[in-house]
Amino acid sequence: MQNATGLPREEVLVRAAWVLTVGPQGEVEDGAAHVRDGRVVEVGPYRELRARLPGLPVEGDGTGLLIPGLVNAHTHLSEALATGMGSELTLFEWGERIVGPLGSALTAEDAREGTRLRAIEMLLSGVTTVNDMFVHCNPDDTASVGVVAGLEEAGLRGVVSFGAEDAATPGASPWADVERVMAEQHALAKACAAADLVSFRYGIGTLLGQSDALLEAGAAACEDRGWAVHTHLAEVREELVAAAQRWGRRTVPHAFALGLFDRPLIAGHGVWVTEADIELLTAHGVAIAHNPVANMILGSGVCPVPRLRSAGIAVGIGTDGAASNDGQDMLQAVKTTALLQKVHALDPSVIDAATVLRMATLDGARALGLDHLVGSLEPGKRADLVLLQDSVCVSVLHDPCGQLVYGASPRAVRSVWVDGRRVVADHTCTTIDEATQIDRGRALAARLAVASGLHSSGLSRLRPAH
């Protein structure tokens, strides 16, 4: 295994039966992409490129699919070691009984190692960019900073935020004051600035989860520093009722009133948006990350994806955190996006495969302000690309895009490049040893189960080995 920063940026021709560019060239049959110095040089018919570049190594036997790297538009790597619990809980119950206790025990080591573990899962499901919000409430550790190291070591492109919440439950004291929260925001921003592939966004776990003082301080810092924002909006009905009781308005208009829409903002979910909300989001270029698997597990509702897209809103696809999914398989989230919209509308034509692929790539990149760099296979863009091959699930390609969206699985992910570095080769992560990382993750998950009280509460059956 080799740390991603030590991997060379390859010059290679990547060949496939179909190149799905999600760009101006559309779908190229028997196509290839020429990659050099971390960027896409050219995309076109394989035979033409090969004739001009006879000496280049070729990856791909011409039977598979070549696509832009998938963009996981919303997750919580703070939940990397907390899968498989509370699947019968509502969002508010789940937050109180799982995320809160877990967050009190998380450390930077947990963040780094958990990120490394889930990075393998993401890479092997075609993810090359991830938008993370790390949520914790451990006053003794700037845990969110550990995510940056984990992403860099894995070779994943990332956007990282600290989803702080300081609003205490009645009768309890907040875990941190505004100064402590802002100090970690600045520490995370500094760590991202020093990274190769990781950038920073200001995180607001939820508007309801923050004190008014912290909300105002965060909005001021974003204006002063030019920070973009990552938050949640209109995820469940209870959120709207609680916001109206607290502020006299729902969370979308309250975020607007705080000035948060003056900065680039991506919000997870957008399930319970009104027409007035949609007008506000559209007018201010707010993006939405749709998380169908988590919305279904928690019974939150169905995001009105066609309505948002028709309004011009950038809608990406996210796995959401591993504790409400309960994994980070992006191909599963892609397929579920299509299926949920169809069954909700009782109309199979409400969304098509090409739209869903665009949401998972170019629209996700646009939602993060990265579409000038990634999201499609075009000359000049960074070389984030995925080759799917060697598996039954992509062996018959009557409709290549339809087969990708509805049939592809991680078994088919043969090679993945991020910024021109091959971080998956022959279906194996090249930057982190999977077996070793699984062993590390198991030990840390068991420690967290006990330290957080999740074991004693009966939610987790894990405990440290004796």
Side-chain angles (χ1 to χ4, degrees):
M1 295 295 107
Q2 188 170 5
N3 188 294
T5 56
L7 288 175
R9 288 188 169 92
E10 297 183 334
E11 182 172 12
V12 63
L13 276 181
V14 188
R15 183 187 185 187
W18 290 93
V19 180
L20 309 182
T21 69
V22 197
Q25 291 178 262
E27 299 177 350
V28 181
E29 187 174 5
D30 191 14
H34 176 202
V35 170
R36 184 180 65 212
D37 297 330
R39 65 184 183 91
V40 176
V41 178
E42 187 178 2
V43 178
Y46 169 72
R47 296 185 186 283
E48 292 182 12
L49 269 64
R50 189 62 176 160
R52 292 202 304 273
L53 302 162
L56 275 191
V58 177
E59 170 65 5
D61 62 9
T63 65
L65 297 169
L66 181 62
I67 64 171
L70 302 178
V71 177
N72 185 351
H74 179 77
T75 193
H76 302 283
L77 289 168
S78 43
E79 301 170 13
L81 303 171
T83 53
M85 296 179 286
S87 59
E88 289 74 46
L89 301 177
T90 65
L91 177 71
F92 281 20
E93 293 170 324
W94 171 85
E96 180 180 344
R97 296 180 59 186
I98 296 176
V99 176
L102 173 72
S104 69
L106 285 167
T107 66
E109 179 190 15
D110 298 323
R112 175 176 173 264
E113 298 293 348
T115 295
R116 286 164 56 95
L117 182 70
R118 295 299 163 185
I120 298 169
E121 185 177 15
M122 284 189 277
L123 287 169
L124 292 176
S125 66
V127 173
T128 57
T129 299
V130 59
N131 180 38
D132 177 55
M133 178 190 286
F134 195 92
V135 179
H136 83 94
C137 52
N138 182 350
D140 301 319
D141 202 309
T142 53
S144 64
V145 176
V147 175
V148 180
L151 291 175
E152 287 280 283
E153 290 159 6
L156 257 176
R157 192 181 302 278
V159 182
V160 180
S161 62
F162 169 37
E165 297 193 348
D166 70 330
T169 56
S173 300
W175 73 275
D177 57 20
V178 171
E179 183 179 2
R180 161 66 179 83
V181 170
M182 296 307 297
E184 183 158 348
Q185 298 282 7
H186 286 282
L188 181 58
K190 182 178 180 181
C192 291
D196 181 32
L197 293 174
V198 182
S199 58
F200 172 78
R201 277 191 178 230
Y202 182 82
I204 300 172
T206 63
L207 270 66
L208 285 168
Q210 291 201 349
S211 65
D212 290 338
L214 181 54
L215 285 169
E216 292 166 6
C222 290
E223 181 179 3
D224 180 57
R225 299 273 178 162
W227 287 337
V229 181
H230 183 189
T231 189
H232 301 77
L233 288 173
E235 182 173 359
V236 292
R237 285 178 294 182
E238 297 93 328
E239 169 194 332
L240 309 182
V241 174
Q245 290 174 332
R246 178 173 167 185
W247 297 303
R249 55 190 167 216
R250 297 180 173 206
T251 44
V252 169
H254 192 63
F256 168 71
L258 287 165
L260 294 175
F261 291 176
D262 294 337
R263 303 299 312 148
L265 186 146
I266 185 169
H269 306 293
V271 172
W272 292 94
V273 288
T274 65
E275 284 299 316
D277 292 340
I278 292 172
E279 289 180 11
L280 265 180
L281 299 176
T282 303
H284 294 274
V286 175
I288 294 292
H290 175 44
N291 305 278
V293 178
N295 292 160
M296 293 168 73
I297 284 178
L298 294 167
S300 302
V302 180
C303 177
V305 169
R307 176 69 188 93
L308 296 175
R309 295 190 77 255
S310 69
I313 293 171
V315 182
I317 298 173
T319 58
D320 212 344
S324 63
N325 182 290
D326 286 83
Q328 298 288 277
D329 179 351
M330 184 67 179
L331 288 169
Q332 181 189 71
V334 169
K335 180 175 182 175
T336 305
T337 292
L339 299 185
L340 179 58
Q341 294 301 314
K342 290 169 182 280
V343 73
H344 180 64
L346 300 179
D347 180 359
S349 69
V350 72
I351 198 166
D352 60 22
T355 296
V356 175
L357 175 59
R358 183 183 177 94
M359 289 172 63
T361 53
L362 188 58
D363 285 354
R366 182 162 68 96
L368 294 169
L370 298 175
D371 52 312
H372 62 297
L373 295 176
V374 298
S376 58
L377 299 180
E378 300 180 53
K381 284 198 171 183
R382 302 310 298 171
D384 290 12
L385 57 165
V386 178
L387 176 66
L388 299 97
Q389 188 186 284
D390 309 327
S391 172
V392 171
C393 63
V394 293
S395 62
V396 178
L397 300 174
H398 294 291
D399 175 354
C401 187
Q403 190 61 35
L404 173 74
V405 169
Y406 297 111
S409 77
R411 292 190 304 274
V413 176
R414 175 181 174 82
S415 296
V416 178
W417 291 261
V418 178
D419 217 50
R421 299 184 179 105
R422 197 181 317 197
V423 291
V424 172
D426 196 18
H427 306 277
T428 302
C429 182
T430 64
T431 53
I432 299 171
D433 182 78
E434 186 171 358
T436 300
Q437 198 60 36
I438 287 171
D439 285 342
R440 289 179 178 175
R442 283 181 179 143
L444 289 171
R447 182 198 69 77
L448 278 171
V450 173
S452 65
L454 291 169
H455 175 73
S456 61
S457 72
L459 283 163
S460 171
R461 296 183 182 183
L462 284 179
R463 57 184 179 272
H466 295 292

